[in-house]
Amino acid sequence: MIREDSADSGSLLQGTLEMLVLKALARGPQHGYAVAEWIHHVSHQLLKVEEGALYPALHRLEMRGFLNAEWGASENNRRAKFYRLTAEGTKRLDAESQRWARLSAAVAFVMQSS
Amino acid sequence: MLPAISAFFGRLRSLFRKRRMDREMSEELEFHRERLREKYLQEGMSESAAERAARVRLGDARRWQERLREVWSFRLLEELMRDVRFSLRLLWKSPGFTAVAMATLALGVSANTAVFALIDSLLLRPLPVPAAHEMVVLDLLEDGSRPGTSFCTPFFRSLEGQSDVFQNVFAFVNDTLQVRADSGNVSVHGVMVSGQYFAAMQVKPLLGRYLTPADDKEGGSPSGFAVVISEQFWKSWFDGASDVIGRKLTIANVPFTVVGVMPKRFMGADPTQQPQIYAPMSADPIIDAPRDHLHGGTHAWWLTVMARLRPSVELDKANAALQAVSTSVLLASGGEPEWIKDEEMHHFRLAAESGSNGFAYVRSVFRKPLLTMFAMCGGLLLLACLNLASLLLARGAVRERELATRRALGATRARLVRQLMIESLLLAALGTGLGVALAPMVSHALAAMLSGGNGPDSMVLDASADWRLYGFAAAVALIASVLIGLVPALRATDGDLNEQIKNGQHAQQRHARAKLIPRLLMISQVALALILVSGAALLATSLVRLYRTGLGFDPHGVVNIAFSMDKQQLDGDQLMEIYRQIEVGLKAAPGVKEVSFQSIVPLSHRNWNGTYSTPGGVRQLIWLNSVGPEYFHTMRIAVEQGRTFTWSDSKASGMKIILNRSAAKRFFPKGDVVGRQIIDHDKGVYEVVAVVGDAKYRDVRGPATPAGYVPIQQDPQKKPSLNAVVRVDGPWAPLVPFSRELAARLAPSIPAPVIRPMDDVIDTSISTERMMALLGVFFAGCSLLVTAIGLYGTLSYTTARRTNEIGIRIALGARRLRVMMMVFRENAVLVVIGSGAGLAVAVSLSTILTSFLYETSTRDPWILAAATVTLVCVASAASILPALRASWIDPMQAIRAE
């Protein structure tokens, strides 16, 4: 019943985006804006996360028990919703990054073959 | 938790927290927009440009909400709720259809649930005691006869010590106790139990203790006789006093000590009796005085014996153990050697059968009628479902265009079937709900019919609902919804989409198969209705014949007034003097025409028999009664020869007897009867003083048995309790206070006399037949009604669909009578085929009813013909209205409507 809806997810595949979100949150609890900014920054401005894909991804991950959310104070002292990895989420991130490593290696082999 | 499961719960939660989640979402997005704006400002944009850029980037708030909501929305459930709302609206919009459907179903469901409640209470429900499966009922078996469940004292006492396979062996007997109240003696429903009864039941008393083997000693325990009372009796008699333990109850003029109170849920070993007082069996000589069954040896078969198996013992092992001790029990009984030899020859043995739902005598009587009734109810429910299915089918046909359009707009077939099924499920649920709500009323009425009034020997049927009943109702609703919904839903959504949209309303050019299903439904409906109607006709005819059968006496206007004289002081001539005074007193009562006495009320299930012979002749068994002067005149039994009794036929004047015609013929096939002698088995000589007409004695069914009457003054009982037989003109109700006053004046120590009209006795004696016939007629009426509704409804729908076709026919000159016949014929064909099929099945099934029928053949052509004609008439009446309406169609309007 998870809707696979990629209309607005930009250039990122949905699964990949979720993996990146989990990775962003592995450093500690963050609000949505910080997650987007972090990915943007760490990818050397190559990946731009659309809000239209980010928030559905966050909510979906929360719904599936990979994230917890609670309200807290942001760095400029405003109320913001902070997401935090659950134990399930950490496991998921491990599995996803292994899968990604295999996949990207395989893609690299294919692309480098002559 | 698995992600999918936690997502499921997340969605479920979000269903109920919509508003809050919406609010938080807006806040979250607002925060994001704010941060973007700040970032743009830092990058050097102007205030307004930053504001605009942030807005543009985030876009329309409403679109956001939609997208996020989709993440947590519960598609299936929400669609389901939408479907339910839609279906409810549809049902609401056609109130006529909904009402008919609900009423039809409710009828079927309430009848089924009610009968099931009785079956549950009588046949299925276990005794409310711990480990009820360990309980067994002990039987006596002989070759070729049904197992006997009555035991004599010696048999029971030998078994009581059997502890190899049984934890406890116990006996009980239901009885009516005379308890002293302020106003004199009162009859209270009680039970006498053996010492291990309560130990076997394992139910703790509410107060005090229960009876133990020490209480079941001859003459009671050293501190006198003890009794245990029910919670109900404790509340009504002692006002729920907390110091009730140790208080005295005077039963049969002897003090008994209350030692315990049993909780309400405890109802003893017989679930159809709810005893108020539990007295030890050893008190029988007092409670039943002047009779003494306890010391009656092998002549008093008065006990029901049950046992509790040891936890690990199977029924087979218990049976083997009982078989092994059978002969020694028989030999130790102290019975006459002749009788013992006879029993041994017939392979007498003891046996055990499961007693997990206790021992109820009525179970053997009512099992078959109840199951037959259940089958009839099932038939009615099936009929209701068939009827609804064909109505829905017809309705589905009308909605074809709507459904086709929805399919064209992209709805899948599964989605439409689901929606239609929800509609039928709703109908089924509403109908079942209504039916279940009505069921207690119906089952109370049935239980009242079964238990035969409120007499002291009537039974209590606890037809209250339990989990079995609710499970049953739920199953009925589910099955009904599938039965009524599936075929119409599949039918309404199949077929060629283009065809349907193009042709719309008059899409009848569909293949023959399409018309087959609704026709088959209608045919089976008619057939089923005919089966029910002919069954009812057979039962009703049989009942009428039973009532018409010559009773040999005229019961109308006769009431029996029972006087319990056995516990008062007087006997012999002094007691007879009391009866004389009662006769004089009653004669003075308003409306009373004649008064006499009898010891046995005919057809009341109390019997008395004996063997007599002519001097030197063979012994014959005849049924006996002791009657007062004027008895035959009061009962309107013809006196064919000789004279009736008078008050001067005392014991001293020589024994007299009056024979009925059958008995006279047996003893004296030739010659005069009056003045001759017959001899009883103790060589006592009786002079025959008259021959009277045959009257039914034990059973309404079958010919009258040979019977003899002796004068009440010569009744062998020491203190005979007689029934005054009073023929009244007009209502008998005034006799109640009158006789009570009379008894209080003439015999102050006896309980209030009990009045029972003879008609009531007869109704009770054929209560099974009466109930079956009444129910049969009720079900037949219902099924006729349901069938009529079905035929009418379906034909109305199909005719409505053909409105413009018929309009065109009329416009082209078709005569209205022909149009009417054309429409009418549609149903007529179905009814004829259905009746034929129904008749065939009815004839083959009706043998089930044989045992309920009296002098009525299950293939009586007149009855079957009458049933068929009735059904055909009702069906025709139901079909004529739509046909008439079709012939009144205004061609101009019909065509313009297109």
Side-chain angles (χ1 to χ4, degrees), chain B residues 156-439:
Chain B
F156 167 64
R157 292 294 183 206
S158 321
L159 287 168
E160 214 178 0
Q162 287 291 328
S163 55
D164 296 344
V165 288
F166 301 123
Q167 296 181 60
N168 316 94
V169 180
F170 62 95
F172 64 95
V173 57
N174 295 307
D175 206 346
T176 304
L177 313 182
Q178 286 188 19
V179 185
R180 169 89 40 87
D182 295 338
S183 58
N185 278 341
V186 173
S187 296
V188 178
H189 186 56
V191 59
M192 286 189 280
V193 304
S194 74
Q196 294 184 46
Y197 179 90
F198 283 104
M201 292 292 159
Q202 297 184 353
V203 174
K204 282 206 178 67
L206 192 67
L207 290 174
R209 62 171 180 92
Y210 54 58
L211 297 174
T212 63
D215 296 299
D216 191 22
K217 291 264 159 53
E218 197 98 344
S221 67
S223 51
F225 281 113
V227 287
V228 164
I229 58 176
S230 73
E231 187 178 348
Q232 200 190 345
F233 188 74
W234 171 48
K235 292 208 168 120
S236 62
W237 194 277
F238 292 103
D239 244 344
S242 53
D243 63 341
V244 64
I245 305 301
R247 302 251 289 250
K248 301 278 184 208
L249 263 184
T250 306
I251 303 172
N253 305 323
V254 172
F256 283 68
T257 312
V258 176
V259 297
V261 178
M262 290 309 283
K264 200 184 285 163
R265 71 193 149 85
F266 180 76
M267 46 182 163
D270 182 342
T272 63
Q273 303 284 330
Q274 280 174 4
Q276 305 295 313
I277 298 178
Y278 300 84
M281 200 177 104
S282 57
D284 172 66
I286 294 168
I287 289 173
D288 278 332
R291 292 175 295 276
D292 181 356
H293 305 105
L294 189 67
H295 300 102
T298 55
H299 293 290
W301 297 83
W302 62 303
L303 296 170
T304 304
V305 179
M306 286 181 64
R308 183 184 273 276
L309 292 173
R310 289 195 170 281
S312 55
V313 172
E314 300 289 321
L315 200 55
D316 296 348
K317 202 176 159 199
N319 262 312
L322 283 170
Q323 169 117 32
V325 299
S326 295
T327 312
S328 61
V329 167
L330 183 62
L331 291 175
S333 65
E336 290 155 21
E338 236 175 84
W339 173 75
I340 291 181
K341 223 160 97 194
D342 193 52
E343 289 293 313
E344 275 184 315
M345 218 172 68
H346 288 105
H347 300 106
F348 164 88
R349 64 193 184 281
L350 296 155
E353 59 178 303
S354 166
S356 59
N357 24 19
F359 176 83
Y361 166 72
V362 289
R363 202 173 283 145
S364 58
V365 179
F366 289 122
R367 182 190 300 269
K368 209 179 151 195
L370 270 180
L371 293 180
T372 313
M373 223 152 79
F374 197 44
M376 285 203 278
C377 292
L380 182 63
L381 184 63
L382 186 63
L383 188 68
C385 288
L386 284 176
N387 174 41
L388 281 185
S390 38
L391 280 181
L392 279 174
L393 210 54
R395 216 162 89 101
V398 172
R399 280 170 61 186
E400 245 162 34
R401 180 136 63 168
E402 172 213 326
L403 294 171
T405 312
R406 283 173 63 186
R407 268 172 75 196
L409 290 177
T412 60
R413 184 169 178 210
R415 182 83 179 66
L416 290 183
V417 168
R418 194 172 78 198
Q419 206 250 300
L420 290 170
M421 283 305 288
I422 283 173
E423 223 175 295
S424 58
L425 188 71
L426 268 178
L427 264 183
L430 289 173
T432 311
L434 191 64
V436 169
L438 290 175

